[in-house]
Amino acid sequence: MSVQSSIEEKLAKAFAPERLMVINESQLHAGHQPDMTGTGETHMRIRIVSEKFAGMPRLARHRAITELLKPELDAGLHALAIEPAAPGEATRW
């Protein structure tokens, strides 16, 4: 299973999102470190809208997602851009 698919599956199960997008942005980071070629699955953007985020501070939302994805981060996922929202909150996407 790809890293992207694993992330999508875990987020869907944990947060039952209304909207979810996991975008592989690895190609945008080629060369930012000697071993970053832009291939693979090293940089992901997560856009998620979930009722579970209602009343939760932004930092707590980020922590909940990064804790859930700790195995992927430990296995080589280099960066996550996280855009969490509760239903009805404004999003930039």
Side-chain angles (χ1 to χ4, degrees), residues 18-21 23 45-50 82-85 90-93:
E18 289 182 6
R19 290 172 41 203
L20 174 62
M21 294 173 59
I23 304 159
R45 179 171 300 276
I46 296 170
R47 294 177 170 163
I48 184 170
V49 177
S50 173
I82 303 171
E83 300 177 34
T91 61
R92 296 182 294 169
W93 43 282

Side-chain angles (χ1 to χ4, degrees), residues 51-58 60-61 86 89:
E51 181 64 39
K52 294 194 177 189
F53 295 138
M56 184 184 286
R58 186 170 177 83
R61 295 172 183 185
E89 293 179 349

Side-chain angles (χ1 to χ4, degrees), residues 21-79:
M21 294 173 59
V22 178
I23 304 159
N24 184 346
E25 296 184 338
S26 301
Q27 74 283 358
L28 301 175
H29 300 274
H32 105 197
Q33 286 187 354
D35 59 341
M36 296 284 170
T37 63
T39 61
E41 297 178 297
T42 58
H43 294 72
M44 297 287 177
R45 179 171 300 276
I46 296 170
R47 294 177 170 163
I48 184 170
V49 177
S50 173
E51 181 64 39
K52 294 194 177 189
F53 295 138
M56 184 184 286
R58 186 170 177 83
L59 183 58
R61 295 172 183 185
H62 281 251
R63 284 182 177 153
I65 291 170
T66 56
E67 284 178 27
L68 179 69
L69 301 179
K70 187 173 181 344
E72 286 76 9
L73 289 161
D74 290 345
L77 180 61
H78 180 73

